[in-house]
Amino acid sequence: MKKSSIFGLVVIAIAIAVIISVYSNTSTYGSFTEARQTESELHVVGKLNKQKVLYYDATKDANYFSFYMQDDKGSECKVVFTGTKPEDFEKSEQIVLTGKMIGNEFHASNILMKCPSKYTQNKLETQEFKAKPASI
C-alpha cells in the first residue's frame, strides 16, 4: 500500500472516532421520572412552580439556588442549582434543565429559560388595529 492510502485510512478512522465520541456524550430529553431511573445527564423541560418557595440567599451561599419545577409530564421535583439565581427567573415561561437526580433532588448543571417575549404585546396591538378594507 502507498503511504498516502495509509494516511487517508488513518484520517478516516480518526474522523469516525470523533463523531462517535461526540454523539455518545450528548444527553437526551426526559422527565423527572426518567431521571430517577438513569444515572446519565438529561434535559428536563418544565415550568416553575410559583406556589412553592424559591431559596436563594447570597449572603449565606451565593452558589446555592433551589426551587420546585413541574416537568411536561406533570411530575414535580425539587431542583438544586449550584450557581447564582438567573435574572428574571420568576418571569420565565418555560425552563430547560440539564442535570441528573441525586437522591430525591434534581441537581442541575445548566438552566435555560424561555422568557416572555417583549414583542408579543406589539404583535397583539398590530393585530387589533388592522385597517379595514376599503369599500367600493
Side-chain angles (χ1 to χ4, degrees):
M1 258 196 209
K2 293 182 179 180
K3 288 183 181 182
S4 60
S5 298
I6 294 172
F7 180 73
L9 289 173
V10 170
V11 169
I12 291 172
I14 291 172
I16 290 172
V18 168
I19 290 170
I20 290 172
S21 69
V22 167
Y23 281 111
S24 68
N25 289 336
T26 58
S27 58
T28 59
Y29 283 85
S31 64
F32 287 130
T33 306
E34 293 167 354
R36 285 182 180 92
Q37 298 168 353
T38 183
E39 292 184 17
S40 61
E41 278 200 341
L42 283 178
H43 291 290
V44 179
V45 180
K47 293 185 178 187
L48 174 67
N49 184 344
K50 295 180 182 179
Q51 277 73 38
K52 294 201 176 177
V53 177
L54 299 171
Y55 179 79
Y56 180 70
D57 188 357
T59 58
K60 282 187 176 180
D61 186 0
N63 289 322
Y64 182 86
F65 173 50
S66 69
F67 57 95
Y68 287 85
M69 186 179 103
Q70 186 174 20
D71 65 15
D72 286 344
K73 295 185 179 178
S75 180
E76 185 176 86
C77 185
K78 181 179 181 180
V79 178
V80 175
F81 177 62
T82 53
T84 59
K85 180 180 145 195
E87 195 172 318
D88 294 334
F89 186 76
E90 295 85 1
K91 295 179 184 178
S92 63
E93 289 179 355
Q94 189 177 44
I95 302 169
V96 179
L97 303 173
T98 305
K100 58 185 175 179
M101 292 294 286
I102 298 177
N104 290 329
E105 299 175 338
F106 187 84
H107 286 252
S109 58
N110 193 12
I111 298 177
L112 298 172
M113 301 180 310
K114 179 182 177 188
C115 293
S117 176
K118 62 182 179 180
Y119 303 108
T120 305
Q121 185 65 27
N122 292 340
K123 186 176 182 182
L124 292 173
E125 287 177 8
T126 55
Q127 287 178 354
E128 285 182 17
F129 298 110
K130 282 186 177 179
K132 294 181 183 177
S135 57
I136 299 176

